[in-house]
Amino acid sequence: MSVSFDFSGRVAIVTGASGALGSAVVEAFRDAGATVCAVDVVDPSDEDAQLDPDAGTTFYQADLTDEAVVEALVEQVLDDHGRLDHLANIAGTWRGGDHVEETELSEFDLLWNVNLKTAFLATKHALPHLQESAGSIVSVSARSSLEGGEGDGPYRITKAGIRLLTETVAEENRGTVRANCVMPSVLDTPMNREMMEPSDDWVDPADAAQVMLFLCSEAASPTSGAAVPVYGEA
């Protein structure tokens, strides 16, 4: 069964847009008629980028761990497009392998900054404009954030933070801005295929993108503060 959404006249910021999931979300918003502002520290011309630079989106290269840069980015989007309706916080990374006592602070800082700080700063500076448009935020947590585990504690901690950030924003903006997040298990991305044996049970980023699009749509208007499983069969 195919499902279609109409985001005509809407403006969406998608962070982490050069990655596998980010590029899928950019495409989903664009196909639904939205004006898409694709944001990443990685330029679309980089050999590791998944984003098609010729796909009719506006690309903004930005370090989302720098608050001044994030503030300027949001203002630039408003100057360029006149409004902001949706924010998709997708920028993130994974690291694992060490127990807490063996984890370097630099590794923890990397995960904290890329996974949680970027989402916090983008949310902070987008919110005043999303409040004006009664818009929505969708972020990416993780299934593994629901419990502790061996060897990837800092990753789980930061993804749990995404879930709590989502719940907090939803509570603080009841009746104005909706905030939800998705919790993937394993996405079928080039990076995961390099690190693990591929499985047919993994979730296609395009399928996860459709769930995120739904959460931003009017079809999900009663839903805010949710952490939605996107596990597939994994």
Side-chain angles (χ1 to χ4, degrees):
M1 181 179 68
S2 63
V3 178
S4 61
F5 301 100
D6 185 2
F7 283 80
S8 300
R10 307 285 185 86
V11 177
I13 290 177
V14 179
T15 75
S18 292
L21 179 57
S23 61
V25 173
V26 167
E27 183 176 356
F29 268 113
R30 189 185 65 244
D31 289 350
T35 297
V36 185
C37 303
V39 182
D40 206 303
V41 71
V42 176
D43 189 275
S45 62
D46 189 283
E47 63 180 10
D48 294 325
Q50 304 293 310
L51 181 65
D52 181 356
D54 299 318
T57 60
T58 304
F59 180 78
Y60 300 83
Q61 189 166 19
D63 176 2
L64 297 175
T65 67
D66 185 323
E67 182 165 18
V69 170
V70 176
E71 184 176 14
L73 165 72
V74 173
E75 292 304 319
Q76 187 63 57
V77 168
L78 266 293
D79 287 345
D80 291 346
H81 304 289
R83 61 182 294 140
L84 178 59
D85 300 279
H86 308 288
L87 169 65
N89 286 314
I90 301 174
T93 191
W94 183 87
R95 294 290 190 280
D98 295 323
H99 287 200
V100 168
E101 72 273 18
E102 298 168 344
T103 300
E104 296 290 339
L105 179 59
S106 59
E107 196 85 340
F108 180 87
D109 284 343
L110 172 69
L111 289 161
W112 181 270
N113 287 330
V114 176
N115 289 349
L116 188 54
K117 187 177 181 180
T118 59
F120 172 79
L121 289 176
T123 298
K124 173 183 176 179
H125 289 284
L127 264 172
H129 309 289
L130 294 172
Q131 288 162 351
E132 291 180 2
S133 64
S136 65
I137 299 171
V138 62
S139 303
V140 181
S141 181
R143 180 182 190 174
S144 62
S145 74
L146 293 172
E147 60 186 4
E150 184 177 353
D152 62 348
Y155 174 79
R156 293 173 185 251
I157 290 165
T158 57
K159 287 301 186 178
I162 290 288
R163 195 173 69 254
L164 291 172
L165 174 64
T166 296
E167 294 171 356
T168 299
V169 171
E171 185 64 26
E172 291 178 348
N173 292 272
R174 293 177 66 181
T176 54
V177 178
R178 295 187 301 107
N180 296 289
C181 65
V182 295
M183 296 188 300
S185 51
V186 182
L187 295 176
D188 191 356
T189 67
M191 179 181 292
N192 285 338
R193 284 179 171 269
E194 287 181 8
M195 293 189 299
M196 296 176 279
E197 183 69 26
S199 169
D200 292 338
D201 295 334
W202 290 0
V203 176
D204 189 319
D207 293 334
Q210 287 299 312
V211 177
M212 299 181 75
L213 199 67
F214 163 75
L215 290 171
C216 290
S217 75
E218 294 302 319
S221 59
T223 304
S224 191
V228 179
V230 187
Y231 302 165
E233 300 298 324

